Amino acid sequence: MWNVLLSFSGLVALIQLVFLPFFPESPPYLLLQKGDKAGCLKAMKQLWGEGNYHTEFDDMMKEKAVTKGTKIMNVLEVLKEPSVYPQLSTMLLLLLSLQLCGLSATANLQESIIPYVSLGVAISELISIIFCSSIIDRFGRRILLWGGYLLMALILVLLETSLLLSDQFHWMRYCSVILIFLFIIAYGIGP
């Protein structure tokens, strides 16, 4: 019944994909990244209901003023910054732990290939983190979430199909591995 369990996560992603366009953007994103004061206040009212949110708005304006002179760093600059080494170490440990997640076993591959698939899973996570961190400011979280869930739903349908056909066509197992990598990248970029 593992295929039912795998399909369940696709169903949850599909539900989130349907309802995500109806949610407003994050107020801090609208104010700090986009500079949209009216949109920020509108999003606050949509998320928190009617009320006076001038205190929260003033706090975000202070944050904007403080970060105005701060340079936004790219991925390579962050990797060279010693103050973020503890956070990077934690993230690296989480990435390495993906090798024990069991995704490589779902593709029904030979045991000799599974270590390479596990390495591919970790590399896929790393690619998604680097890619997402470099495009999140350009597109915003909402678009990345929406696109990520859409890709995840599509990939899960293809993965389910390739797993069902893997007994008839031996090469479909390798398609399953590629789809697992793509799923991880889509998850890392979006949700």
Side-chain angles (χ1 to χ4, degrees):
M1 299 296 289
W2 60 266
N3 53 350
V4 174
L5 186 62
L6 184 64
S7 300
F8 180 73
S9 62
L11 177 66
V12 172
L14 185 63
I15 290 170
Q16 290 177 345
L17 180 65
V18 169
F19 288 106
L20 189 62
F22 300 107
F23 289 100
E25 289 282 0
S26 165
Y29 169 76
L30 288 170
L31 184 64
L32 301 176
Q33 300 292 326
K34 296 287 189 178
D36 185 5
K37 294 178 183 179
C40 175
L41 288 171
K42 182 181 175 188
M44 285 177 162
K45 288 181 182 175
Q46 278 183 295
L47 290 170
W48 302 329
E50 290 297 323
N52 188 358
Y53 301 111
H54 290 292
T55 306
E56 291 85 358
F57 185 78
D58 290 340
D59 288 343
M60 283 191 267
M61 288 299 289
K62 288 176 188 173
E63 183 181 346
K64 184 176 182 177
V66 168
T67 60
K68 187 173 186 173
T70 306
K71 180 185 174 215
I72 296 176
M73 300 168 71
N74 64 28
V75 176
L76 291 177
E77 291 171 338
V78 170
L79 291 175
K80 293 178 184 177
E81 179 62 38
S83 64
V84 297
Y85 287 165
Q87 294 89 343
L88 288 174
S89 300
T90 303
M91 188 174 66
L92 185 60
L93 285 173
L94 290 172
L95 286 173
L96 293 175
S97 69
L98 278 174
Q99 295 183 21
L100 303 173
C101 70
L103 273 175
S104 51
T106 63
N108 198 14
L109 295 170
Q110 298 169 350
E111 242 180 87
S112 61
I113 298 174
I114 289 178
Y116 299 107
V117 174
S118 296
L119 180 63
V121 166
I123 291 171
S124 299
E125 271 290 323
L126 186 62
I127 288 170
S128 69
I129 289 170
I130 291 171
F131 188 66
C132 180
S133 64
S134 61
I135 65 170
I136 193 166
D137 289 334
R138 184 174 304 144
F139 296 107
R141 289 186 182 106
R142 183 178 185 168
I143 291 175
L144 291 182
L145 281 170
W146 196 79
Y149 281 126
L150 181 64
L151 282 173
M152 287 169 53
L154 176 66
I155 291 168
L156 283 174
V157 167
L158 294 173
L159 181 59
E160 181 71 22
T161 305
S162 70
L163 289 173
L164 290 173
L165 296 174
S166 66
D167 289 336
Q168 296 171 344
F169 304 102
H170 184 68
W171 56 271
M172 283 299 247
R173 295 175 181 177
Y174 298 102
C175 290
S176 299
V177 171
I178 292 169
L179 288 168
I180 288 170
F181 294 162
L182 291 175
F183 180 83
I184 291 169
I185 291 171
Y187 178 79
I189 290 172

